[in-house]
Amino acid sequence: KSVIQIFLWGGMSHNDTWDPKPDSGREYMGEFSAVIPTNVDGIQIGALFPELAKQADKYSLIRSMTHGNNGHETAAYLVQTAHAPGDRLAYPSVGAVFAHMKEQEYKGSLPPYVVLTKPQGRFSEEGFLGARLKPFATGGDPNASRFEVEGIVSRRVADARQEARRDLLASLDTLRKAAGDDPLVRASQAARTEAYEMVLGKGREVFDLSKEKPELRDRYGRHTFGQDCLAARRMAEAGVPYIVINYPGGWDTHSNHFQTMGRQAPQLDQGLAALLADLHDRGMLDTTLVWCCGEFGRGPKVDWQPPWNGGRNHHGKVFSVLVAGGGFKGGHVVGASDEKAMEVAERPVSPTDLLGSIYQLAGIDSKASLPHPMGLEAHILPKDPGKAPSGGLLTEIM
């Protein structure tokens, strides 16, 4: 019913997290060479993720994701559309495709494609589908005392005053009255009604995290990412088809990599583990698909020279993805990297394989056509994936 995509923009290191190589030495593992067992026999992850280690039965790890692209913009486009950058068409992201394909059945009060809290900004997620399917970015900070969605809710104006202003505006709108049943006026009125539903109606309630128990909010973590995860769960409950958490701060760690990892990895661990446990406890994990990765990984070999001082560079040859729920089995590892996490060693997984599996689990025909404004031929996934290494759909965990 819903997808929650946690996008680790900038690219998170696979060595330090979900594909550790503890025997490769300091040159590759740096400060984070320790690994820990999970609650699934035979699966180990980096020691920075003790909470996710307790939830490994609920997710699977793809350790052989690959596309070979090392540019932020082009790799982000490739991971989220499966189409090669540089093609003559600007394809929509998976979120925009979901919004388009699910719009007839989704009757909720929120937009069908929501981003917490800022768009990635690396490419136009709506592509040629147009502004109607652009993601709604909430802005604000869900970890604030009240989560104010920028441009939508002003807590300084009471509901009654908001309604009075709306009534006054309607009474002065002589153009609308004179136009009668004009299609443009009717469309404008529908948009206005939808906006006010978010301001004063049920849509606003989804963003009110004060309705959750303080203990649960603590479990998610009283930081922006943790509360992003809680807000995403509430949106999934409301039936929003596609929700993106664009990780605050990012993972583009060319320099001071280990300091950033030491700060951000515990927050990712806490928030994501709490989300998976909460979805499971509420009986929502079967109908909510969660996937988490960046546009690529980070270079397995640490760059210790100044000015990088222990940094990792872009690495699209192999990286890791976490998938859970929505029909994906938990407790499995798909594919493998080589002994130093430099190359794919077993079972390559391309963006086409991953997104194709997500579409199939959601009941979306990945071969379906998309409406191009100029009538050009366009399909959800490429008809010919080209030379990208591919092992096909992820049937072993579906």
Side-chain angles (χ1 to χ4, degrees):
K1 295 180 180 179
S2 297
V3 173
I4 299 174
Q5 176 188 354
I6 299 170
F7 190 63
L8 307 176
W9 69 270
M12 186 181 73
S13 165
H14 48 296
N15 286 58
D16 303 318
T17 57
W18 302 329
D19 189 14
K21 306 291 182 178
D23 298 328
S24 57
R26 185 175 183 274
E27 188 178 9
Y28 289 86
M29 291 302 296
E31 300 175 19
F32 300 135
S33 59
V35 298
I36 53 175
T38 68
N39 67 346
V40 176
D41 288 344
I43 298 179
Q44 293 182 322
I45 58 177
L48 292 169
F49 294 89
E51 297 304 316
L52 276 173
K54 301 172 187 175
Q55 304 291 334
D57 59 319
K58 298 179 180 63
Y59 61 80
S60 286
L61 295 172
I62 302 168
R63 288 178 170 168
S64 55
M65 189 74 184
T66 182
H67 52 54
N69 192 304
N70 289 338
H72 286 298
E73 290 80 5
T74 46
Y77 177 83
L78 187 51
V79 166
Q80 297 189 70
T81 69
H83 289 270
D87 191 2
R88 65 189 185 127
L89 303 184
Y91 279 88
S93 69
V94 56
V97 171
F98 262 78
H100 169 67
M101 300 298 288
K102 300 288 187 180
E103 63 182 346
Q104 295 302 317
E105 61 187 78
Y106 174 59
K107 304 300 180 184
S109 54
L110 294 177
Y113 180 17
V114 179
V115 174
L116 292 155
T117 59
K118 297 179 181 179
Q120 181 197 355
R122 293 292 189 176
F123 71 101
S124 297
E125 290 93 336
E126 69 276 18
F128 58 68
L129 291 180
R132 185 176 59 86
L133 292 170
K134 189 177 182 67
F136 171 73
T138 64
D141 182 357
N143 193 42
S145 57
R146 300 199 73 139
F147 183 13
E148 295 189 6
V149 180
E150 293 176 1
I152 294 295
V153 179
S154 174
R155 297 292 183 179
R156 294 185 294 273
V157 181
D159 290 356
R161 192 174 182 187
Q162 290 270 17
E163 291 173 352
R165 288 178 173 181
R166 179 173 54 171
D167 293 342
L168 175 61
L169 179 63
S171 70
L172 298 173
D173 191 356
T174 55
L175 176 62
R176 180 173 62 86
K177 296 175 182 177
D181 198 38
D182 183 274
L184 289 176
V185 174
R186 192 166 63 246
S188 174
Q189 181 61 30
R192 184 181 294 113
T193 300
E194 184 179 351
Y196 272 108
E197 176 63 20
M198 291 186 65
V199 174
L200 300 171
K202 292 182 179 179
R204 184 178 70 180
E205 296 176 8
V206 175
F207 296 103
D208 189 358
L209 302 189
S210 67
K211 294 182 179 295
E212 300 288 343
K213 294 180 179 179
E215 311 89 75
L216 183 62
R217 296 192 68 180
D218 291 343
R219 195 182 315 155
Y220 273 90
R222 295 288 185 150
H223 41 77
T224 301
F225 176 72
Q227 300 304 296
D228 277 344
C229 288
L230 179 53
R233 191 223 78 207
R234 291 178 64 83
M235 289 182 204
E237 279 184 307
V240 175
Y242 207 91
I243 306 129
V244 177
I245 300 173
N246 198 23
Y247 195 95
W251 302 80
D252 196 17
T253 52
H254 289 284
S255 61
N256 300 312
H257 167 84
F258 296 99
Q259 294 91 321
T260 301
M261 287 295 299
R263 181 177 67 255
Q264 291 187 172
Q267 294 184 358
L268 175 63
D269 179 50
Q270 182 179 20
L272 179 51
L275 174 63
L276 296 177
D278 198 11
L279 289 171
H280 176 268
D281 293 345
R282 292 170 186 270
M284 294 175 60
L285 194 56
D286 288 342
T287 58
T288 307
L289 191 153
V290 180
W291 67 292
C292 177
C293 71
E295 62 265 44
F296 39 51
R298 307 301 298 184
K301 191 171 184 179
V302 181
D303 191 343
W304 296 106
Q305 300 300 314
W308 310 121
N309 302 318
R312 293 190 187 274
N313 298 314
H314 304 174
H315 196 76
K317 287 184 176 181
V318 64
F319 56 105
S320 297
V321 182
L322 181 149
V323 295
F328 279 128
K329 299 173 185 175
H332 291 74
V333 171
V334 175
S337 62
D338 62 17
E339 61 181 7
K340 295 190 175 167
M342 293 290 293
E343 306 268 357
V344 173
E346 299 174 11
R347 177 51 165 110
V349 177
S350 72
T352 303
D353 302 331
L354 175 60
L355 297 192
S357 300
I358 292 173
Y359 286 133
Q360 180 164 312
L361 290 172
I364 294 174
D365 180 5
S366 61
K367 297 179 181 178
S369 297
L370 290 172
H372 192 279
M374 296 175 64
L376 300 177
E377 183 181 7
H379 298 270
I380 292 177
L381 289 183
K383 294 178 70 175
D384 179 10
K387 299 179 180 179
S390 174
L393 295 180
L394 301 167
T395 53
E396 61 265 59
I397 54 170
M398 293 170 64

